[in-house]
Amino acid sequence: MNAESPAEFVDWTIAAASASGLLEELPGAEPEAPYLELTQAEAPEQSAGHLRLWRGTATGTIDRMVYLNLVAGPVNTRLLFLFGRPGNTLPHMHAQTVTFPPDGIVYNVDLLPRLDPVEHFDWFERVYSGLRRPYRRATGNAENSCAQAPANPALAVLMSPWGIASQRTDRQEFERVEPQLREYIEHYLELAAAPGWEAGDPAAQADRDAQHLGLFFSDELDPRAWTGVYRVVGDATGQQIKATIATPLSNT
């Protein structure tokens, strides 16, 4: 059984992505500080976590990486995204863990599709064929809550059928599934390091991407998540967090 904790899994993912040479971290107001320090809306003297932001290199396929560590009392949400450049077709990678006492956890990982599967089936084979075995190992075990139907189908339609997403579960399940989550991350970084993600019409691809992310991060499709963010840090900071996650750092 793997003994990695949710925090260690996210730290490993950040380290692996940083080691790829495709990203450089953007500092905050102070040197070595996170891009955005977060405080509790009702108690500004108390930390609510932080947001870190990385910019993709000019010649790379990744636009940005964003890590949100949101602390609300005993509940800790760790949300990580790696985004392809807006005008290319590299999938976006999404990973999340939410931990709460005494031993509760929710986790998910997915590669978000950026093309239509009927028109671009070869793209889907390239992106997802390497995930078939880890997906089956995770979801084929009936003891794992990720074998169940998605909790929010309205949001799941904007994701991929290969996503691994749990219901409310425990640390023991996470330890069983964590090796497969790592395989997803490793597969994504291999894709990001490879060429061949050019779009036929980069401007149209960027427009589609903006529409996709606008829906994916909408309050209407994921009200519980965003209401929780606003409750912790306030509406203005919550909107700033959302804009930082969803807004590309490059134009192509």
Side-chain angles (χ1 to χ4, degrees):
M1 181 177 293
N2 195 297
E4 296 294 330
S5 72
E8 289 168 333
F9 164 68
V10 173
D11 288 345
W12 173 85
T13 301
I14 291 173
S18 298
S20 70
L22 299 172
L23 297 157
E24 56 183 5
E25 186 166 7
L26 302 182
E30 301 292 335
E32 307 300 323
Y35 185 79
L36 182 62
E37 296 278 11
L38 304 175
T39 59
Q40 303 281 341
E42 297 184 358
E45 71 282 2
Q46 296 183 17
S47 173
H50 59 264
L51 182 147
R52 295 173 65 186
L53 178 64
W54 291 256
R55 182 196 304 272
T57 58
T59 58
T61 57
I62 295 175
D63 177 77
R64 65 200 182 282
M65 179 167 71
V66 189
Y67 171 50
L68 172 64
N69 184 359
L70 185 68
V71 180
V75 180
N76 194 325
T77 300
R78 299 175 178 90
L79 177 63
L80 182 68
F81 276 99
L82 279 153
F83 293 95
R85 297 172 74 88
N88 73 14
T89 67
L90 179 72
H92 303 319
M93 194 284 297
H94 169 227
Q96 179 177 238
T97 66
V98 182
T99 53
F100 42 88
D103 192 35
I105 184 171
V106 173
Y107 63 85
N108 59 67
V109 64
D110 195 17
L111 273 58
L112 305 188
R114 300 185 63 197
L115 292 173
D116 178 87
V118 175
E119 296 179 355
H120 302 278
F121 190 73
D122 56 340
W123 183 93
F124 277 74
E125 282 291 290
R126 179 185 184 187
V127 171
Y128 295 110
S129 61
L131 299 180
R132 289 171 182 161
R133 288 184 177 179
Y135 177 82
R136 288 171 181 165
R137 284 198 297 271
T139 62
N141 184 342
E143 294 184 36
N144 295 337
S145 65
C146 61
Q148 301 175 23
N152 185 352
L155 191 61
V157 73
L158 300 171
M159 304 174 77
S160 87
W162 286 268
I164 297 175
S166 78
Q167 311 292 330
R168 184 174 179 137
T169 187
D170 56 26
R171 168 69 176 266
Q172 186 175 12
E173 177 179 328
F174 180 80
E175 291 174 346
R176 285 197 302 268
V177 176
E178 191 263 353
Q180 285 82 64
L181 304 184
R182 284 194 179 213
E183 288 187 65
Y184 271 54
I185 305 303
E186 291 168 342
H187 177 68
Y188 180 80
L189 293 175
E190 290 175 1
L191 293 175
W197 300 107
E198 298 81 6
D201 186 338
Q205 179 66 20
D207 287 343
R208 181 198 184 279
D209 193 53
Q211 294 179 51
H212 183 184
L213 296 184
L215 289 168
F216 187 80
F217 293 116
S218 69
D219 291 353
E220 293 75 19
L221 289 184
D222 202 4
R224 185 172 66 174
W226 287 110
T227 298
V229 172
Y230 302 146
R231 185 182 300 117
V232 176
V233 298
D235 290 353
T237 301
Q239 291 293 337
Q240 183 181 5
I241 290 170
K242 181 190 291 189
T244 303
I245 295 174
T247 304
L249 295 178
S250 64
N251 296 320
T252 58

